[in-house]
Amino acid sequence: DKIDFLRFTPRLDLDETLSILSGQTGIGRAQVGAFPSGYVGVVYEKNGNVYIITSGAHGDTSKWSSPMTIGPGTNPSYAIDEQNSIEFCAAYNSGSWQLYRRVPDGTFSLISTIASTLTDDSSSGLEVLGDTLNLLLFTYNDAGTVKRLRSGNFGETWSVS
């Protein structure tokens, strides 16, 4: 197993596929996010846990951190709040979607349960709207129905969008 992602550099008209975690086994779903400064984070699932690896060098394959455990779960979603330098990760665990948050120079902490009345652990999406509302959106599939929730307080509480 491995994780591949595409890096595009517009000013050089260059795109390339980068591979990370080559040779690992049990890697599941992964998502990538980046700050304009060159910080890249990749969250992924492996054996019932969610991990993150990071690069401060625009994803240069030789400059990745060691994996850090975010928490238990599967099907992670990842979003970065550029204005506040906060990272968010949602993961499905034991019948609920849970939100983890990391502030600069910190570790991920469990912040809230986003939704707990789900029938499966299908795909999800997490997005930060970069306006003055600090709005965090979470979209998920609940037994064939797509639902969307929002938080205006960095993921501490959620309401129907």
Side-chain angles (χ1 to χ4, degrees), residues 49 84 125 136:
N49 287 300
N84 297 294
L136 185 61

Side-chain angles (χ1 to χ4, degrees), residues 35-141:
F35 283 106
S37 65
Y39 174 93
V40 178
V42 177
V43 298
Y44 64 96
E45 67 177 82
K46 181 178 178 182
N47 302 325
N49 287 300
V50 176
Y51 299 88
I52 186 167
I53 58 173
T54 61
S55 168
H58 300 277
D60 184 314
T61 55
S62 66
K63 299 179 181 175
W64 286 92
S65 68
S66 297
M68 178 178 43
T69 304
I70 293 175
T74 59
N75 292 330
S77 296
Y78 181 56
I80 291 178
D81 178 345
E82 293 177 21
Q83 288 182 330
N84 297 294
S85 299
I86 300 173
E87 295 170 84
F88 298 95
C89 179
Y92 186 83
N93 185 38
S94 300
S96 65
W97 286 101
Q98 298 174 335
L99 183 74
Y100 296 86
R101 180 176 67 199
R102 176 164 71 171
V103 295
D105 299 322
T107 58
F108 277 92
S109 300
L110 179 62
I111 298 302
S112 65
T113 295
I114 303 169
S116 59
T117 58
L118 305 176
T119 58
D120 60 21
D121 63 349
S122 298
S123 299
S124 68
L126 191 59
E127 178 182 6
V128 175
L129 296 183
D131 56 19
T132 58
L133 299 176
N134 294 318
L135 196 59
L136 185 61
L137 299 177
F138 180 72
T139 306
Y140 63 97
N141 180 349

